Amino acid sequence: MKNGKRKILVLIGWSIFGILIWFFLRGAKEVWDVLKETRWQWLVLAFLMQFGNYLSAAYVLDNLLYYFGHRLKFTSLLKNSFMMSYLNQTLPSWGVGGLTYLVLDLKKEQSVTAGKSITAGIMFYALSFFSFFIILVVSFINLFLNQQLKFIYFSAAFAAFIFVITVSTILFISFFKREKFKKIVRFLLKPIEKLSNRETLSGGGQTNVYEAVQPEAVSEELQQNFRSLVKAKGYMWAALSWSFAFHFFDIATLYAFFRGF
């Protein structure tokens, strides 16, 4: 049954890819005409900026994991930052897909416990979204002060910002309440059970990943990790700075593409 479902998913995936290729080939002449008029130097710069994006994300993970005593190969961090970004864009799962990949990869190749990799993953998204909202709010204020944005739009954006901050605060508080936190951990770990039913462990045997991760133990470790993060000031400030750099390269990539076309 599971093999049948897997084959159906693979078939759907390749079918969607085939449709996209068909659309591309159908408009190939138009695409080629546009590409002939582009300034290729700006497109090269855009690709370099995108590389800077993944590089910044890798440094965020580097600082967060180094605080827990894991000095990993930078190539591994770069690969993880790329895959987390790719999965976030492919799976509309607010980062659960990327977090799942991070947990499985670091556990298998680097022997990083699930609790520490999940903590690093959650903080990766928290810092990224925090820096994004700061940039967004500053941009809206700038537009409003320069009379390029009506008050009603500014108010709506500000209300949305307050809503996100409120939800984030409630989630943060729940991290320190044992039973509620365990429910959140089970929810975060559920995709691991679905996306990877069986995983080869260092012992050589085959076992269920969800059972190997042990939600109860991970919940306890995560709570300890989150409490200790208040002491990680230098690492947290560095990670936050790289989060801002991440968004800078994202914006710069768009700018370079527009200039190129």
Side-chain angles (χ1 to χ4, degrees):
M1 186 66 179
K2 288 179 181 177
N3 287 333
K5 287 181 179 178
R6 190 173 293 138
K7 287 178 181 178
I8 291 170
L9 287 171
V10 170
L11 182 63
I12 291 171
W14 278 109
S15 299
I16 293 171
F17 183 72
I19 292 168
L20 290 172
I21 293 295
W22 179 76
F23 274 116
F24 177 79
L25 293 175
R26 188 183 177 190
K29 186 181 181 304
E30 186 181 350
V31 171
W32 177 245
D33 289 340
V34 171
L35 287 174
K36 283 193 296 185
E37 296 177 6
T38 58
R39 290 180 285 181
W40 62 268
Q41 298 92 334
W42 284 100
L43 299 187
V44 171
L45 181 62
F47 282 110
L48 290 174
M49 288 293 181
Q50 198 61 26
F51 178 72
N53 191 319
Y54 299 127
L55 198 71
S56 302
Y59 274 115
V60 174
L61 289 172
D62 186 45
N63 280 276
L64 292 171
L65 288 165
Y66 190 41
Y67 172 68
F68 294 117
H70 296 281
R71 200 60 174 174
L72 306 184
K73 289 181 179 179
F74 199 74
T75 50
S76 173
L77 294 168
L78 195 62
K79 179 186 68 173
N80 273 275
S81 71
F82 176 80
M83 286 305 298
M84 288 174 76
S85 178
Y86 173 77
L87 288 168
N88 289 346
Q89 294 171 40
T90 307
L91 303 173
S93 57
W94 59 271
V96 172
L99 193 60
T100 300
Y101 177 84
L102 183 73
V103 172
L104 293 174
D105 187 65
L106 293 184
K107 186 176 178 65
K108 180 175 66 176
E109 294 188 10
Q110 311 292 339
S111 300
V112 179
T113 63
K116 288 175 181 175
S117 54
I118 289 176
T119 305
I122 290 174
M123 291 310 300
F124 173 89
Y125 292 118
L127 292 172
S128 180
F129 280 111
F130 176 73
S131 57
F132 169 73
F133 272 108
I134 293 295
I135 293 168
L136 198 62
V137 168
V138 171
S139 301
F140 270 106
I141 291 172
N142 181 55
L143 289 170
F144 179 69
L145 293 177
N146 287 290
Q147 299 181 339
Q148 294 176 299
L149 189 70
K150 291 182 180 179
F151 181 74
I152 187 170
Y153 299 133
F154 175 77
S155 302
F158 185 74
F161 178 73
I162 295 299
F163 173 75
V164 170
I165 291 295
T166 303
V167 172
S168 301
T169 303
I170 292 169
L171 283 172
F172 181 75
I173 292 171
S174 69
F175 284 166
F176 297 95
K177 294 187 177 181
R178 207 168 290 272
E179 292 306 315
K180 286 184 178 179
F181 189 72
K182 285 179 181 178
K183 290 179 181 178
I184 293 173
V185 172
R186 289 193 192 100
F187 176 73
L188 288 172
L189 294 177
K190 202 65 179 174
I192 298 177
E193 182 182 25
K194 290 180 179 179
L195 294 176
S196 181
N197 291 315
R198 305 186 76 81
E199 178 77 9
T200 304
L201 300 180
S202 57
Q206 294 278 342
T207 185
N208 185 282
V209 174
Y210 190 66
E211 292 174 1
V213 170
Q214 298 175 346
E216 295 289 329
V218 170
S219 178
E220 294 292 332
E221 186 180 358
L222 275 171
Q223 284 189 323
Q224 292 175 5
N225 291 342
F226 278 117
R227 287 193 178 97
S228 71
L229 284 172
V230 294
K231 300 174 184 177
K233 294 178 181 177
Y235 297 102
M236 292 297 288
W237 282 113
L240 180 60
S241 298
W242 282 110
S243 293
F244 277 107
F246 174 86
H247 291 291
F248 165 78
F249 283 116
D250 228 10
I251 295 166
T253 301
L254 287 172
Y255 174 77
F257 269 122
F258 274 107
R259 291 299 300 267
F261 285 103

